[in-house]
Amino acid sequence: MVTAARYYPQLLSMMGNTLRFLPAFVAMHQLLEEGYVGDIQVCDVRVYGPSLLDQSYGWTCEELMGGGGLHIVGSAIIDLLSYLTGTRAHRVHGLLRTFVQQNNLIRGIRRVTSDDFCFFQMLMGGTGSSGVCCTVTLNFNMPGSFVHEVMIVGSAGRLVARGTELYGQRNGSKCEELLLSDGGGVGPEAKETPRPHLQGLSSMVKALRQSFQAHEERRLWSQGPVASAPTFEDGLYVQTVVEAVKQSSSSGEWVCVEIMSQEPDPNHNLCEALQRNKN
């Protein structure tokens, strides 16, 4: 897919990470470029909510089919942090757990293999003290309201996106200030799509519409409205980080992030599953 996107640059190819289009993160990105927090030092992300599992056994229950907090939510967070900081992870360390392996609807011979708790750290940008330290905690064993908080701390202050609102506080200030309130207008929050993702999706669709409306025949598209959208190269990077986090969880060690330069073995996942069943 990456090769095809490079070969046909006239075609619009982008990943569907809606968080990049959420107004709170658009504003946060602009403030970071303007130096609101100074030099970025630490990123801390917390996402808490109810189970991601469907009402019946399906792909969300299987790690090999893309289920679990790391795949479904963590991939969007990894891409978002790269977008906000302008850097990429070079080393990761993670821990994945499946606390709920069966429930009232998924039982018998069926067993959940996708993670419902994930914690990982990323060292991004330069090495040593010049890099950015990121911590991400994903917990989907908490019924109730959905919690989505992204905090970036720098040498001059901090920015915090709580849900769809953006707050900021500079060093020396006694209290934080509301920089962007919830715009609303996207309907009630749904279990399948929490409000930050729902509002981000709405903004992304509007950007796509503007991109094609720039040309009367609408056979071409304008780069401007979707300039911040993640590319297929970004998608490959995110998937590489996800695989590195999974590898770290198995080994218990830090893992270097190395972007793939050739086609992976199509039977890799099958071989992993067979080896796991054999053990």
Side-chain angles (χ1 to χ4, degrees):
M1 292 175 67
V2 172
T3 303
R6 290 171 179 168
Y7 191 76
Y8 298 103
Q10 72 274 19
L11 298 180
L12 177 60
S13 56
M14 55 183 281
M15 302 299 296
N17 181 15
T18 61
L19 291 179
R20 285 201 185 198
F21 291 88
L22 183 68
F25 291 124
V26 173
M28 178 183 282
H29 181 261
Q30 169 124 18
L31 289 170
L32 289 172
E33 287 192 329
E34 294 173 355
Y36 186 95
V37 304
D39 295 328
I40 300 175
Q41 299 169 337
V42 176
C43 300
D44 184 73
V45 180
R46 298 184 305 119
V47 181
Y48 302 153
S51 174
L52 296 174
L53 300 178
D54 292 330
Q55 292 300 310
S56 59
Y57 186 85
W59 70 270
T60 57
C61 304
E62 285 285 348
E63 179 264 334
L64 288 176
M65 296 176 68
L70 176 60
H71 279 285
I72 298 174
V73 178
S75 58
I77 296 298
I78 293 168
D79 177 73
L80 177 67
L81 292 177
S82 178
Y83 165 68
L84 292 174
T85 63
T87 61
R88 287 189 170 185
H90 55 86
R91 292 179 66 205
V92 299
H93 187 275
L95 175 69
L96 280 73
R97 287 289 182 269
T98 304
F99 289 108
V100 179
Q101 299 184 2
Q102 292 185 323
N103 56 30
N104 294 333
L105 300 173
I106 303 169
R107 53 189 177 182
I109 64 172
R110 300 291 193 186
R111 188 173 295 273
V112 178
T113 62
S114 57
D115 61 282
D116 51 25
F117 174 85
C118 177
F119 170 83
F120 62 93
Q121 298 168 299
M122 299 188 295
L123 296 179
M124 306 181 69
T127 58
S129 59
S130 61
V132 180
C133 303
C134 298
T135 301
V136 179
T137 305
L138 312 173
N139 188 353
F140 298 101
N141 295 289
M142 299 181 62
S145 60
F146 184 79
V147 176
H148 193 282
E149 181 177 296
V150 177
M151 178 171 61
I152 296 184
V153 182
S155 58
R158 64 184 174 94
L159 288 168
V160 187
R162 298 189 182 98
T164 57
E165 297 182 331
L166 179 62
Y167 298 84
Q169 184 173 357
R170 295 181 186 272
N171 291 351
S173 177
K174 295 182 179 179
C175 59
E176 64 180 19
E177 56 180 334
L178 176 63
L179 301 175
L180 184 70
S181 61
D182 185 354
V186 294
E189 180 174 319
K191 175 184 179 296
E192 295 79 8
T193 311
R195 191 169 185 82
H197 294 269
L198 190 63
Q199 190 167 326
L201 176 61
S202 175
S203 299
M204 186 181 75
V205 171
K206 291 177 182 177
L208 282 170
R209 181 186 180 192
Q210 293 171 2
S211 179
F212 284 97
Q213 279 186 333
H215 299 272
E216 292 184 3
E217 295 183 358
R218 296 179 186 172
R219 294 184 179 180
L220 300 175
W221 54 282
S222 176
Q223 175 70 24
V226 293
S228 63
T231 63
F232 281 4
E233 283 90 349
D234 295 325
L236 178 60
Y237 156 74
V238 168
Q239 187 60 33
T240 304
V241 175
V242 167
E243 293 300 324
V245 171
K246 291 161 60 177
Q247 182 181 344
S248 173
S249 180
S250 299
S251 66
E253 300 176 349
W254 284 87
V255 174
C256 293
V257 178
E258 298 179 357
I259 305 297
M260 290 184 295
S261 58
Q262 59 184 5
E263 289 282 345
D265 182 1
N267 296 319
H268 176 70
N269 285 344
L270 178 61
C271 293
E272 276 192 351
L274 292 174
Q275 187 66 31
R276 187 180 303 137
N277 292 335
K278 182 180 178 180
N279 294 336

